[in-house]
Amino acid sequence: MSPMRNLVLAVLAVTATSLAAPAFAAPKGTCLWGALTDANRATMIQGYRDKGADYLNEIAVDATMEDALRTTCKLKPDEELTAGEILGAVILEKGADAVLFEKGRVAKGSLDRAWGRLPEADRETLRVFALAAMRQNIGAEAAAAFPIIDRVTAELKLPDPALKDHVFAYLLGRAIREAREAGRT
């Protein structure tokens, strides 16, 4: 099985219970990430470094972390599942950015800039793909998304083709985060 397919499956495993998520303006990833302690953030980035997207299946949220997320981001009970999905997406973004900086010499923030340079139609294609992946119903969405992922990867001029999986993780995370923050299911 290809590494990119494994990455999609890992994200699906984390988000499979989200099929009935309500449509609302969800909490923002910046709030959720900022509510974590430095140690929590470091642990999550290290977990991504060690295991990639598979790390999302192992995240342990203790009562202190839950309380910080609820209090800081003013989460309502019906927002908690979506908040977890958004936080998982942020971990993909931050983790991929860290790995590409460390292993690929890709300047920090390059992925954010690459996302911003994409035409809105391409970003929407990636959001539609991410939502389809979360529903475990990938079809034509993948055929439309993969050329965009390939184009972003080529622009980064990665020294090792295996690093493409981290570009994929970042783009998937960013697309999930933006879709969920907008209340899309």
Side-chain angles (χ1 to χ4, degrees):
M1 189 175 295
S2 78
M4 284 197 350
R5 177 83 174 140
N6 287 339
L7 187 57
V8 169
L9 293 175
V11 171
L12 293 176
V14 170
T15 61
T17 60
S18 69
L19 299 178
F24 54 82
K28 302 296 181 203
T30 53
C31 182
L32 297 167
W33 188 250
L36 300 173
T37 65
D38 290 343
N40 291 145
R41 289 189 294 269
T43 297
M44 290 175 178
I45 296 295
Q46 188 59 49
Y48 179 89
R49 277 186 193 106
D50 294 343
K51 297 185 178 182
D54 288 339
Y55 170 69
L56 297 178
N57 295 317
E58 299 175 10
I59 295 173
V61 178
D62 62 27
T64 303
M65 190 186 309
E66 280 182 20
D67 196 42
L69 293 168
R70 281 188 193 118
T71 303
T72 303
C73 300
K74 299 177 181 24
L75 296 179
K76 298 173 193 143
D78 63 344
E79 296 174 324
E80 291 178 6
L81 178 63
T82 301
E85 294 169 349
I86 292 168
L87 183 56
V90 171
I91 292 166
L92 290 177
E93 290 177 68
K94 303 283 187 187
D97 190 55
V99 168
L100 287 168
F101 173 73
E102 294 158 3
K103 293 184 178 179
R105 304 284 185 222
V106 174
K108 292 219 177 236
S110 293
L111 293 164
D112 287 337
R113 288 187 293 280
W115 178 268
R117 284 191 304 272
L118 287 173
E120 176 55 31
D122 287 352
R123 291 192 303 262
E124 180 59 16
T125 295
L126 292 171
R127 288 183 206 109
V128 168
F129 166 69
L131 292 172
M134 292 177 75
R135 290 188 300 271
Q136 299 184 20
N137 188 20
I138 301 171
E141 298 87 357
F146 286 163
I148 298 166
I149 295 164
D150 290 341
R151 215 171 49 245
V152 171
T153 302
E155 289 172 12
L156 294 172
K157 298 178 177 34
L158 300 174
D160 179 355
L163 293 173
K164 178 181 181 178
D165 292 343
H166 301 290
V167 176
F168 180 78
Y170 171 88
L171 293 172
L172 189 63
R174 180 70 181 253
I176 290 169
R177 179 175 59 81
E178 287 191 4
R180 286 299 199 225
E181 285 178 344
R184 292 172 62 182
T185 58

